[in-house]
Amino acid sequence: MRAVIQRVLEASVTVAGKREAEIGPGLLVLVGVEDADTDEDIAWLTAKIANLRIFGDSNGVMNLSVCDVSGEIIVVSQFTLHASTKKGNRPSYIKAARPEIAIPLYEQFVAELQLACGQTIQTGIFGADMKVALVNDGPVTIVIDTKNKE
């Protein structure tokens, strides 16, 4: 699994002109699932995101997690995170999992992140043409790939 985590002041997801999700301060998490992903990848990534210390403490030092600050979270599926651009100019998405594999893993990821933070996680709509708006705070943007965890 690959995730792009952005600390935001606010974020929203709109599909076909309808606002599907909206948060205040917290995290926007773009997540891509590949064929090789497992339950272990989900567990590791949810723990990493829930405990990632990228929010300021009383001294302004990034020392608190999204759970510590009761921040909100939106998770958006994004298969293009697994784009390969090694050859030519058209990205290849061969490593991105097909929906029949990706959807259950994505839903499990959202459920486990919800348990880890003890709050409802908002989401976009898997496979939809989404308009994602955000105000990046910092900016703070972290990229995590479960295949590079060692």
Side-chain angles (χ1 to χ4, degrees), residues 84-93:
S84 173
T85 57
K86 288 182 181 179
K87 293 183 182 177
N89 294 316
R90 180 181 296 175
S92 169
Y93 305 105

Side-chain angles (χ1 to χ4, degrees), residues 1-3 31-49 82 105 108-109 112 144-150:
M1 295 185 94
R2 190 169 289 158
V31 63
V33 179
E34 70 175 49
D35 287 333
D37 290 331
T38 66
D39 293 347
E40 181 182 311
D41 292 300
I42 292 169
W44 184 85
L45 186 58
T46 56
K48 184 62 82 174
I49 291 170
H82 288 290
L105 291 173
Q108 182 181 345
F109 169 77
E112 288 192 27
I144 300 175
D145 191 323
T146 61
K147 303 306 183 240
N148 295 327
K149 61 185 167 205
E150 295 179 22

Side-chain angles (χ1 to χ4, degrees), residues 56-119:
D57 62 15
S58 60
N59 295 316
V61 176
M62 286 197 289
N63 204 27
L64 301 172
S65 72
V66 68
C67 301
D68 293 335
V69 300
S70 299
E72 298 179 278
I73 301 172
I74 289 181
V75 175
V76 176
S77 63
Q78 189 169 354
F79 76 94
T80 60
L81 291 178
H82 288 290
S84 173
T85 57
K86 288 182 181 179
K87 293 183 182 177
N89 294 316
R90 180 181 296 175
S92 169
Y93 305 105
I94 197 158
K95 284 191 172 189
R98 286 186 267 172
E100 60 270 15
I101 294 170
I103 291 171
L105 291 173
Y106 169 78
E107 290 173 347
Q108 182 181 345
F109 169 77
V110 171
E112 288 192 27
L113 188 56
Q114 187 164 299
L115 285 174
C117 284
Q119 64 166 300

